[in-house]
């Protein structure tokens, strides 16, 4: 029980990496606030996740509002306080990656990506950190960045800067929040099979190429991130702050 009786907020927890992290945190003893976009199609997924967490003997609440809305962080914190009495861990995971070429990138696509992935994260981290400071018992903040923070992608010119920005945000927040005992770290997933890259990986040539680039010989699964996120959230990582943890099966170091 790495997170016994802790309260964990996870944005983008209805599916993929966020969902896997939510289940693992509950398995490790935490109650969970599930953030998601609020779309009607995700509601059944959220209901299933709440049931799964309750079956583990823990509880969950859900807040469906756009990650890019500067008020979303406050709403998530409010739910955590109302249902569970406070916030111990905040995982900023919600993100989008609508693949598009650079020269004809629509402004709306660029702005929506930056707003969802980075601007929203900034205000949500701020809201969680203010609550943690008020509680006076420290806390852990984890941003789900990407291997794309370190490498480029021709169809991801709007996305990679947001992921590099999240690493930078965690580094600066580690400095700003260290005096309050609040640790801030980033995880950088490689290629993890989820809805975000379903279309891209439907191309079998691209899929095989990504597998071949991965020394561990397979694409990642959402569960591959659940352990690293839970570890960074827990007291086992009590002296880790400002760090970036690649979780990519070795893809990044595989140049030749
Ligand atoms: P996913 O399966 O598509 O899940 C995305 C999650 O984010 C969903 O819960 C979704 O909620 C939520 N979300 C999307 N847009 C939102 C919005 N505007 N407001 C609030 N919530 C929103 O994707 P994933 O692969 O698990 O991605 C999670 C994070 O990992 C992202 O930040 C992504 O950049 C990062 N990442 C993924 C990979 C990968 O290979 N999969 C690699 C590196 C980094 P709804 O269900 O309500 O839409």
């Amino acid at each position: 029980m790495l997170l016994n009786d802790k309260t964990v907020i996870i944005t983008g927890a209805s599916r993929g990496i966020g969902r896997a992290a939510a289940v693992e945190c509950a398995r490790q003893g935490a109650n969970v606030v599930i953030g998601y976009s609020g779309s009607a199609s995700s509601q059944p997924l959220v209901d299933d996740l709440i049931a799964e967490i309750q079956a583990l003997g823990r509880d969950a609440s859900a807040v469906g509002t756009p990650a890019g809305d500067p008020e979303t962080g406050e709403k998530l914190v409010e739910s955590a306080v109302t249902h569970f009495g406070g916030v111990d861990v905040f995982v900023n995971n919600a993100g989008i990656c609508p693949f598009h070429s650079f020269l004809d990138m629509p402004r709306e696509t660029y702005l929506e990506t930056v707003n969802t992935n980075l601007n929203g994260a900034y205000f949500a981290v701020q809201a969680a950190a203010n609550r943690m400071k008020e509680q006076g018992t420290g806390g852990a903040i984890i941003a789900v960045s990407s291997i794309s923070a370190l490498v480029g992608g021709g169809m991801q010119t709007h996305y990679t800067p947001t992921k590099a920005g999240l690493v930078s945000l965690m580094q600066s927040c580690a400095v700003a929040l260290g005096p309050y005992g609040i640790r801030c770290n980033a995880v950088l997933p490689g290629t993890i099979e989820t809805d975000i890259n379903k279309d891209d990986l439907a191309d079998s040539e691209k899929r095989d190429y990504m597998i071949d680039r991965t020394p561990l010989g397979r694409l990642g699964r959402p569960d591959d991130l659940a352990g690293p996120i839970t570890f960074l959230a827990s007291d086992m990582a009590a002296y880790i702050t400002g760090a970036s943890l690649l979780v990519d099966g070795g893809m990044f170091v595989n140049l030749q």
Side-chain angles (χ1 to χ4, degrees), residues 95-215:
I96 55 171
C97 184
F99 283 49
H100 205 287
S101 46
F102 175 61
L103 293 175
D104 58 350
M105 176 70 68
R107 277 188 193 174
E108 315 79 64
T109 306
Y110 171 78
L111 292 171
E112 192 198 349
T113 304
V114 173
N115 203 41
T116 302
N117 294 6
L118 186 57
N119 294 344
Y122 188 95
F123 293 113
V125 166
Q126 188 186 47
N130 269 310
R131 175 66 203 187
M132 289 172 184
K133 177 188 168 220
E134 200 181 306
Q135 290 169 186
T137 50
I141 296 174
I142 297 141
V144 179
S145 169
S146 171
I147 190 174
S148 300
L150 307 176
V151 292
M155 298 292 279
Q156 303 186 346
T157 57
H158 50 333
Y159 174 79
T160 60
T162 68
K163 293 295 161 176
L166 285 174
V167 168
S168 176
L169 179 64
M170 287 302 96
Q171 290 172 340
S172 287
C173 285
V175 178
L177 300 174
Y180 306 105
I182 302 169
R183 300 181 294 103
C184 301
N185 294 292
V187 291
L188 284 63
T191 300
I192 314 298
E193 284 198 274
T194 68
D195 290 344
I196 212 170
N197 49 26
K198 198 170 51 187
D199 295 341
D200 195 41
L201 294 174
D203 174 351
S204 60
E205 219 169 284
K206 172 81 182 275
R207 187 189 168 81
D208 290 347
Y209 167 75
M210 298 312 270
I211 294 171
D212 282 351
R213 282 210 56 170
T214 308

